[in-house]
Amino acid sequence: MTDPVARAAAALATDPRSAAQAARVLVQRQPGDPRPRLILASALRRLGQVPEALPLLIDLARAFPRAARTRYELGLCLDAVGQRGEGLNQLEQAVAFEPGLVDAWQALADMAFADGDEPRLMRAQAALARLAAGNPQVGKAAELVVLGRHAEAEPILRQYLQGSPRDAEAARLLAACYVVQRAFDHAETLLCHALAIDPGFVRARFDLAHALFARQQAEPALAELAPLLAADPANPAYRNLKAGCLALIGDDAGAAAIHGALASEFPHNARIAINHGHALRTTGARDQAIAEYRRALGLHPGAGEAWWGLANLKVGALTQEDEAQMRASLATRLGDEDRLHIEYALGRRAEDAGDIGNAFAHYQAGATLARRRQNGAVPDYGAELDRTRDVFTPAFLGERADWGDPDPAPIFVLGLPRSGSTLVEQILASHGDVEGTMELPFVPALAGQVEKAGGLAALDRVSRDEVARWGAEYLERTRVHRRLGRPRFIDKMPNNFRHIGLIRLALPNARIIDVRRNPMASCFSCFKQLFAEGQEFSYDLNDLAAYYRHYLATIRHFHEVAPGAVHTLIYEDLVEDTEGQVRGLLDYLDLPFDPATLRFFENDRAVRTVSSEQVRQPIYRSGLDHWRAFEAHLAPLAQGLGDALESWRG
């Protein structure tokens, strides 16, 4: 490299001090050349001498107003001296003058992340994704993926990969489309393919970790994250994903610590404040959670998830002023996610105020938006029930009664969400021999494997050894969640009622507790609840009725074909006769009575479900008939439930 200006520029990244020295000489030698002055200013900025760099850059910007690199350097310097707004303006001018200036786009992305400016962040990331691609088609698809327009990106990527199957970035982007569809197997296959092509492809490894996390496989996700964090330990995206993984394996203190550190480092990012609020709520730090949600709203008044976080605490945290602010936000151009969260929060606020008609209208509006984001059709519950009845007969279960793993440790608490299962879990987890974990994903994962292998109809071809392996794998995967080392543990995935047959096969000595509640109360409680994910049946009254009837019929089937395999506990009975019902439950579990189970509200364990605040209080009966205030709005639900309204206890 013979050009002294080029040599000085090349030294900027690795040795800014020598670059500054060389640039000073060149400024004297070539006073008419703006390049040495720009190199000097950049070197000074990198050395922390921003006040000295600023006059040079201001003069250059006046002399060369369309010089994008000068605008970029000036933007960074202005931000460094506390003039963030003018710094952003200079960076925006830089990318307007030179749309391919990656450094300026990255600076915009970094500042937007720190500020929690989601629109600017998305625009910058979309530009970076487009510029990073080596092919125009892939670049266009990359931009669409960042903008959330996966349905438009997918056909572009499919067509491109047919001719260029070894393009790792295109494979990664198509995997992102599959993750949105929750087609995780396809996504993981593509991401592993991308990493086989380029083992050092950092973004593909991060996306693989994220896909594993999305399907609740925390330990493999942490393994993929480990080398990324080792190379870049300050990366906020890596740390945030690690926190999510830690929460999945029950390390709530570790997750909260990461979220707290991120909140301190990025005090202007509302999304980070919301995540911190969620972590605090899980650990029982309610007042601190409220403070974080409100801090998020101070940064971004339209942050729907923060409003719902306050409402979902169910402690009357929302005020009349909050209601006015939420209504004002709805009048602005909010995205659907913020809008649906605010609709549910307004519903809760109106319900607390006794405004039933308005509350139901908001719940209905929120449910309509929630249904819009769903992927896939509602399952055919009738066909599912027929398969269950056809396969899991007394003879089938009797012949395989001892095939699975004999360990009696698991206790499955299942039923409909919002039926009291979290309360039952909290009661049992207060027993000295029982550990509460969370809603574990492992039985649904097993059901997915069975479905791929031919479904329930193919179970008669599965060997004794295979069934034993299912049970052993379940116990191995749950080990990380058993942090207290107690002899029994709870898996509280409510939808596991759909897989009772598989549980009986794989874990024949596990105990299964069906927590049942009045169908009107249970279904309406689901309808007015915005779940973090899943529970797609809960956003339509007709779907809820069908799901409840399916649940009832499934439990009744197993009562008939395997008497004693499932213990049904009626929530209303638990409220009216807590001690009697708890003693009966412990008898079913072959556990001695522990007085701590009646003081469950003193248990300070982390609770991750929407009932986290309620189970930290003594049992109260005021909520039993809460649904009756809404009865006039629930005619479709009552009609759909039919005879279940009268026969649900039996």
Side-chain angles (χ1 to χ4, degrees):
M1 188 181 297
T2 57
D3 182 0
V5 175
R7 285 200 303 272
L12 278 172
T14 57
D15 189 0
R17 192 170 302 280
S18 66
Q21 292 171 350
R24 288 186 192 279
V25 173
L26 290 169
V27 167
Q28 296 297 321
R29 290 179 181 172
Q30 303 168 215
D33 188 345
R35 294 177 299 163
R37 282 180 285 165
L38 180 59
I39 294 168
L40 175 59
S42 181
L44 292 169
R45 173 184 64 78
R46 295 163 196 259
L47 292 168
Q49 300 172 31
V50 173
E52 190 178 344
L54 267 173
L56 291 170
L57 292 167
I58 291 170
D59 287 345
L60 283 170
R62 286 173 180 159
F64 304 94
R66 296 184 63 83
R69 179 64 62 170
T70 297
R71 296 287 182 179
Y72 161 70
E73 290 288 349
L74 182 55
L76 293 182
C77 286
L78 288 167
D79 179 61
V81 297
Q83 298 183 43
R84 170 63 62 84
E86 184 53 33
L88 285 168
N89 180 51
Q90 292 296 327
L91 290 169
E92 292 286 5
Q93 290 188 58
V95 296
F97 295 146
E98 189 179 329
L101 186 53
V102 170
D103 288 345
W105 281 117
Q106 187 61 59
L108 280 169
D110 292 342
M111 290 185 195
F113 176 80
D115 290 346
D117 185 345
E118 291 292 335
R120 194 193 303 268
L121 176 61
M122 185 175 289
R123 186 169 64 89
Q125 289 179 332
L128 287 167
R130 183 184 67 250
L131 293 169
N135 175 277
Q137 283 179 276
V138 177
K140 175 61 176 175
E143 186 175 30
L144 290 169
V145 166
V146 172
L147 296 174
R149 293 159 60 182
H150 298 84
E152 297 174 56
E154 183 178 346
I156 297 173
L157 292 164
R158 281 180 173 279
Q159 182 178 11
Y160 174 79
L161 282 166
Q162 287 178 0
S164 303
R166 293 189 58 78
D167 189 313
E169 172 65 356
R172 181 191 74 81
L173 291 166
L174 184 56
C177 297
Y178 284 135
V179 168
V180 169
Q181 300 168 23
R182 305 190 70 78
F184 295 120
D185 288 343
H186 293 321
E188 288 177 31
T189 298
L190 281 166
L191 290 167
C192 290
H193 172 64
L195 287 166
I197 296 168
D198 181 4
F201 192 177
V202 168
R203 184 56 192 270
R205 192 165 301 282
F206 175 74
D207 283 5
L208 178 57
H210 188 272
L212 290 164
F213 168 74
R215 71 188 311 174
Q216 297 189 293
Q217 294 185 8
E219 289 182 286
L222 285 169
E224 296 296 339
L225 266 179
L228 303 182
L229 278 164
D232 188 4
N235 187 298
Y238 299 169
R239 292 157 67 197
N240 183 65
L241 183 54
K242 181 179 180 179
C245 292
L246 292 178
L248 272 185
I249 61 174
D251 186 358
D252 299 289
I258 293 174
H259 285 305
L262 287 169
S264 296
E265 292 172 38
F266 299 96
H268 303 295
N269 187 307
R271 174 71 262 169
I272 288 175
I274 292 168
N275 289 344
H276 191 207
H278 293 339
L280 290 165
R281 170 192 169 141
T282 297
T283 61
R286 183 182 67 191
D287 291 343
Q288 295 97 312
I290 290 172
E292 279 298 275
Y293 291 141
R294 291 209 173 275
R295 188 171 72 82
L297 290 166
L299 296 167
H300 178 30
E305 195 171 342
W307 287 118
W308 177 239
L310 289 171
N312 204 27
L313 286 165
K314 303 181 179 73
V315 292
L318 294 173
T319 67
Q320 189 172 349
E321 291 75 17
D322 292 332
E323 180 180 345
Q325 193 169 352
M326 284 189 283
R327 293 191 182 281
S329 292
L330 284 181
T332 65
R333 296 181 61 183
L334 286 179
D336 279 357
E337 281 298 307
D338 284 324
R339 190 171 294 277
L340 77 88
H341 281 88
I342 290 175
E343 290 286 6
Y344 276 96
L346 282 169
R348 184 66 49 78
R349 165 67 186 165
E351 183 178 355
D352 289 345
D355 187 353
I356 300 304
N358 199 21
F360 188 82
H362 283 296
Y363 289 142
Q364 183 72 68
T368 299
L369 289 167
R371 288 197 86 198
R372 189 184 299 171
R373 70 178 181 179
Q374 289 177 200
N375 292 314
V378 175
D380 185 340
Y381 299 128
E384 182 178 311
L385 181 62
D386 287 343
R387 289 191 294 270
T388 296
R389 287 171 169 164
D390 290 344
V391 173
F392 295 112
T393 63
F396 180 90
L397 291 170
E399 291 167 3
R400 296 161 176 80
D402 61 349
W403 279 24
D405 193 295
D407 193 327
I411 300 169
F412 291 90
V413 177
L414 44 76
L416 251 68
R418 310 294 299 139
S419 291
S421 56
T422 302
L423 173 60
V424 171
E425 178 195 36
Q426 184 79 344
I427 289 170
L428 292 178
S430 301
H431 193 286
D433 290 336
V434 181
E435 180 170 1
T437 59
M438 57 187 295
E439 296 180 358
L440 300 175
F442 307 122
V443 169
L446 171 60
Q449 293 174 27
V450 169
E451 189 62 31
K452 288 178 188 174
L456 296 183
L459 284 179
D460 60 353
R461 300 193 296 272
V462 176
S463 69
R464 175 192 288 264
D465 288 345
E466 180 74 356
V467 170
R469 185 179 64 78
W470 290 347
E473 284 187 358
Y474 172 86
L475 292 166
E476 180 60 32
R477 290 181 178 182
T478 57
R479 196 176 307 280
V480 69
H481 296 275
R482 301 176 64 181
R483 308 177 73 82
L484 302 179
R486 294 178 179 177
R488 310 286 288 277
F489 72 96
I490 302 165
D491 180 338
K492 201 196 74 65
M493 177 65 78
N495 304 319
N496 276 343
F497 79 83
R498 299 170 71 177
H499 313 305
I500 290 174
L502 291 178
I503 293 172
R504 290 293 296 166
L505 281 180
L507 298 157
N509 293 323
R511 299 304 170 96
I512 302 171
I513 301 166
D514 158 40
V515 183
R516 191 178 304 175
R517 186 180 179 189
N518 177 296
M520 293 296 287
S522 179
C523 291
F524 177 60
S525 190
C526 285
F527 181 73
K528 66 176 184 173
Q529 180 67 47
L530 177 59
F531 294 95
E533 63 176 353
Q535 319 303 1
E536 287 83 1
F537 61 88
S538 68
Y539 302 113
D540 179 88
L541 294 176
N542 292 310
D543 289 349
L544 271 161
Y547 194 76
Y548 190 95
R549 290 174 67 88
H550 176 52
Y551 148 72
L552 207 57
T554 301
I555 298 294
R556 285 171 173 167
H557 172 72
F558 285 100
H559 278 319
E560 292 174 7
V561 300
V566 180
H567 177 85
T568 291
L569 186 150
I570 304 297
Y571 173 73
E572 286 78 359
D573 293 346
L574 179 64
V575 172
E576 297 293 350
D577 177 22
T578 304
E579 183 171 347
Q581 292 297 315
V582 170
R583 285 183 179 274
L585 183 57
L586 294 175
D587 286 345
Y588 166 72
L589 297 172
D590 292 327
L591 289 171
F593 178 71
D594 185 339
T597 56
L598 301 181
R599 298 193 307 275
F600 61 89
F601 45 87
E602 297 174 359
N603 190 335
D604 62 358
R605 60 181 284 268
V607 181
R608 300 170 184 83
T609 70
V610 296
S611 302
S612 60
E613 295 306 308
Q614 292 162 296
V615 299
R616 294 187 173 110
Q617 308 169 43
I619 287 179
Y620 53 90
R621 70 178 316 284
S622 59
L624 288 179
D625 295 323
H626 207 167
W627 65 273
R628 292 191 183 280
F630 291 83
E631 192 166 8
H633 302 279
L634 300 178
L637 175 61
Q639 183 175 357
L641 287 166
D643 59 6
L645 289 173
E646 304 298 329
S647 66
W648 64 274
R649 278 181 169 268

